[in-house]
Amino acid sequence: MIKIYNTLSRSKETLKPLKGNRVKLFVCGPTVYDNSHIGHARTYISFDVIARYLKYHGYSVFYLQNITDIDDKIIKRAKNTGTDPLNLAREFEAEYLKDMKALGVENVNLYARATEHIKEIIAQIETLLDKGFVYETESGVYFDISKCPDFGKLSNRKIHDLNVHRITPNTDKRNPEDFALWKKKDEEPFWDSPWGLGRPGWHIEDTAITEEYFGSQYDIHGGGLDLIFPHHEAEIAQMESSSGLKPMVRYWMHTGFLNVKGEKMSKSLGNFITIKELLKEYPAEVFRFFVLSTHYRSPIDFSQEILKQSQNSLKRIYKFYETINELLNEDIPKNGENDSLYGELLEDARSKFLEAMDNDFNTPDALSILFDFVRETNRMLKEKEISEESLNNIMSFLKEVEKILGFNFTARSKKSHEHLEGELIDILIDVRAKLRERKNWELSDEIRSRLRDLDINLEDK
RNA sequence: GCCAAGGUAGCUUAGCGGCGAAGCGGUGGACUGCAGAUCCAUUACACGGGAGUUCAAAUCUCUCCCUUGGCUCCA
């Protein structure tokens, strides 16, 4: 039984999908006007593991993500760089997908672009107009928040609390809190609509897209903590008003921020590190470990030092994998008298590991159980002979773990043996040079002749 | 002002009513020709301050302090 912390109820609830074992998961995707930073990566890695675990648990997951490819920021950036907004969006969408691939985020079934769902967006706005929840002005179409008494239920806000504004509200709205569904624009990029040329507001694309692929009600909606208000609040207002069905989403999940020196990492603060920059210095799995060593809802503070710690911690698990792997290549008995001892240890670890994951995807807890298992097994290996069967069982558990958490122990072992040839030869050459300095001709000649056997010819000047 | 998240050993974090947690780091030891890995031990008076509830509180209540975020675009 999986428990999920639901932002809406502020408590953990047992996951019960709307239909059988099918889970419809939607996570807000990026606005593609620039390279993504590691704060975004934190969120997408978190949901990657969530999707992985749901699948492991036997759910059939439809993981949908939108791509915001039309937006003021995109247009502004395009203007500044003298490019076409939609081309710019395509370019950074490709970069985003590359970044995700590099991070091992690979469980999204469908990416849906806002600009390819203009028809659905318009249809939804029309429904809302017919039902009287929205109104048209000279500048666009707006949602009338006063028609939606439970607006604010996700962020625990009352409409009358929303009277502090740091920017001057657009004056042709009825209430300052009303938000745009359609912005009338006579400048490209624009689309034709019943209200003239223009482009969609930010919130409407998500509900139009989810309605198209999921229907008006679905299981899980995720995103960063910063989207709760106003974005997700607006989504609820749009979808529940348009369909008349509540709730639009059964479980709202929000990831905590990634901070740097206690401050939120964000584009506007300029304190961000892009995913590409990060991956130049550290392997993706180190960052993944760093993300998973904190619960997805907690804030996480980024620094080089902590990443170094993560790297060391992860090494411990990798070493353990290698130990098991090496033992498997040795000549050992198929079965042994200690099988039940090893089996007990393993089953205990496995059930606790899964229990931790069941509990709102508590990856730090799960990792700590894994470390316990590593230590205890290492200890037992020193004293009790292990059999092939026990080793195989441990190995299959490690494979489960790597699949759930998205690590790749095997590839890592391989990687360390690739592209190594040249460097190994350099070492031999260096050592041989030192031997020759000491006039140890016998050993240096042996190195040369054995390399020649491998078709590698060294010629001394 | 209003909402939200957080303050747990040197560091990063689990735990969220009752057996003094995990990893990293430090120190000592075992094993090694040496190193590494591994194991053992140890280091850590652990729970922001104060009051209360309870047989029992890091865990519940109240209050105060500190940090961060949202109320504007934001994963």
Side-chain angles (χ1 to χ4, degrees), chain A residues 248-266:
Chain A
M248 156 190 165
V249 168
R250 289 166 79 88
Y251 311 94
W252 283 93
M253 300 182 73
H254 293 98
T255 52
F257 295 129
L258 184 142
N259 298 323
V260 180
K261 296 193 178 86
E263 270 187 330
K264 178 189 172 193
M265 175 175 289
S266 70

Side-chain angles (χ1 to χ4, degrees), chain A residues 327-339:
Chain A
L327 283 171
L328 266 170
N329 289 327
E330 286 178 16
D331 194 23
I332 43 162
K334 270 213 166 331
N335 298 288
E337 52 179 331
N338 299 316
D339 282 351

Side-chain angles (χ1 to χ4, degrees), chain A residues 46-60:
Chain A
S46 296
F47 281 105
D48 180 61
V49 171
I50 287 165
R52 282 168 186 272
Y53 190 64
L54 290 171
K55 285 182 185 174
Y56 171 83
H57 214 274
Y59 289 111
S60 157

Side-chain angles (χ1 to χ4, degrees), chain A residues 62-115:
Chain A
F62 182 1
Y63 182 176
L64 175 67
Q65 203 172 91
N66 68 305
I67 299 281
T68 303
D69 59 351
I70 177 65
D71 165 271
D72 289 352
K73 274 183 289 200
I74 295 172
I75 294 167
K76 192 175 158 196
R77 175 65 65 98
K79 243 178 211 163
N80 290 345
T81 55
T83 47
D84 172 70
L86 292 179
N87 284 342
L88 182 96
R90 289 295 171 270
E91 182 189 324
F92 284 110
E93 175 189 304
E95 293 303 323
Y96 169 72
L97 296 176
K98 250 191 251 172
D99 288 344
M100 289 302 114
K101 197 172 176 199
L103 288 171
V105 172
E106 53 194 23
N107 286 282
V108 176
N109 298 95
L110 181 68
Y111 291 99
R113 293 171 181 153
T115 57

